[in-house]
Amino acid sequence: MSQTPLLRFGVIADPQYADADPDLALDRHFRQSLRRVAQAIETFNGRNLDVVITLGDLIDRDWASFDAVLPLYRTLNHRALFLPGNHDFAVDPAHLGAVHKRLGMPAPYHDLLIGGIRLVILDGSEVSTFALPAGHPRHDMAAQRLASLQQAGAHNAQAWNGTLSEAQFAWLTEVLEDAADDGEPVVILCHYPVFPPNEHDLWDAPRVLALIERFPNVRAYLNGHNHAGNEGIRGGTQFVTFKGMVDTPDQTAFAIVSLFEDRMEIEGFGREESRVLPLPLAVPA
């Protein structure tokens, strides 16, 4: 087996920092996250990494929370990538349109090449009832979609989930086609899972999953949102949900991921378990 990874990166999911008392019912300890993020960054700084990725919900609520937690990343020796989660939009409506910029994102969804790996960053909050104010076309579309899913009894018919617009789905299709043509392995990053089935899934998880299955070069789909964590393999793709950093009064959760041609090694810290997940090369249908 190769001992040199194609890509090695740090992962933080769901810090959900806020200057707020704990939610004991959910076992979330918001103020603890400042210390936990700082500890994770200290660990990352001692490793040779290509990038550090925060998989959404950097804050729990309030625009001022960004001012407290984002400066911690200035001490990071590596490139930092952020993507938005549902709680990142729990701010005054006047700030909703500035969340992606506050996270330093060049666009709400985009892709980039690092070490020969195509990283694809999705915005699963694009069509939702929380990322845009009432009256916006995508907000109204989301409300209708949620009502339809609830009527159908869908397991993920939850107001804390969202979905991709048609434009984003078309963009994702084009990016995956181009990566396949260029022989690039792909890692998809999103706040919301699509597999295994779970109440936290994107509203159109089956559609996204069907698209991924067309491309055996998609090696992994990584996300947060479900704080309990989850994982599964389908075709040649590993689907990993990382545990929430904000949970429990005394344990952190973060990881270092090393991506090889035939496997993904996850070095877990705190509640995140260490394990080795195979990456079998799927055969296109």
Side-chain angles (χ1 to χ4, degrees):
M1 294 193 301
S2 172
Q3 298 304 311
T4 303
L6 303 173
L7 189 68
R8 178 174 283 139
F9 51 96
V11 172
I12 294 174
D14 300 88
Q16 284 188 219
Y17 169 72
D19 184 12
D21 292 337
D23 184 331
L24 298 180
L26 294 176
D27 202 13
R28 295 179 183 175
H29 301 263
F30 310 109
R31 292 192 182 99
Q32 297 273 28
S33 288
L34 283 186
R35 175 178 56 84
R36 294 177 186 181
V37 169
Q39 290 173 338
I41 289 174
E42 183 178 6
T43 299
F44 295 151
N45 282 345
R47 301 297 184 89
N48 183 21
L49 305 178
D50 296 292
V51 68
V52 169
I53 301 164
T54 302
L55 290 168
D57 282 3
L58 180 64
I59 65 167
D60 182 75
R61 72 198 86 155
D62 300 330
W63 188 252
S65 297
F66 286 120
D67 296 330
V69 68
L70 278 172
L72 296 176
Y73 285 84
R74 296 175 191 160
T75 67
L76 185 64
N77 294 337
H78 312 290
R79 181 176 185 178
L81 292 179
F82 297 90
L83 52 98
N86 52 307
H87 280 275
D88 293 313
F89 295 98
V91 297
D92 187 279
H95 293 302
L96 286 174
V99 168
H100 299 94
K101 183 178 180 180
R102 189 72 184 91
L103 291 172
M105 300 179 66
Y109 51 91
H110 58 102
D111 65 293
L112 64 160
L113 193 66
I114 300 180
I117 307 293
R118 180 64 58 182
L119 298 182
V120 180
I121 295 174
L122 300 182
D123 184 4
S125 304
E126 185 185 20
V127 178
S128 67
T129 58
F130 48 79
L132 293 159
H136 190 285
R138 289 205 306 271
H139 180 282
D140 295 346
M141 183 190 310
Q144 294 170 8
R145 180 69 185 277
L146 178 58
S148 177
L149 288 169
Q150 289 172 336
Q151 186 174 11
H155 67 277
N156 60 339
Q158 309 291 342
W160 63 71
N161 297 331
T163 193
L164 315 183
S165 68
E166 289 298 322
Q168 186 177 176
F169 189 85
W171 169 86
L172 174 60
T173 303
E174 184 177 358
V175 168
L176 296 184
E177 290 173 344
D178 290 345
D181 290 343
D182 294 338
E184 297 170 349
V186 172
V187 174
I188 297 177
L189 308 167
C190 187
H191 181 61
Y192 307 88
V194 294
F195 183 81
N198 183 271
E199 66 177 358
H200 295 84
D201 289 349
L202 277 176
W203 288 339
D204 58 352
R207 186 187 187 197
V208 174
L209 191 59
L211 176 63
I212 291 172
E213 289 176 337
R214 290 173 43 195
F215 299 94
N217 58 317
V218 179
R219 313 303 284 133
Y221 181 108
L222 310 178
N223 61 271
H225 194 45
N226 176 7
H227 293 209
N230 205 353
E231 66 185 50
I233 187 167
R234 189 157 172 155
T237 304
Q238 281 284 358
F239 295 82
V240 179
T241 299
F242 289 91
K243 288 182 169 65
M245 177 178 273
V246 72
D247 297 71
T248 80
D250 54 4
Q251 284 189 291
T252 190
F254 63 96
I256 292 175
V257 177
S258 298
L259 190 70
F260 298 83
E261 184 64 36
D262 62 344
R263 68 195 187 280
M264 181 165 55
E265 296 182 358
I266 299 176
E267 180 182 359
F269 298 83
R271 294 167 48 247
E272 191 65 62
E273 301 95 344
S274 296
R275 65 263 201 209
V276 178
L277 305 177
L279 293 175
L281 286 172
V283 178

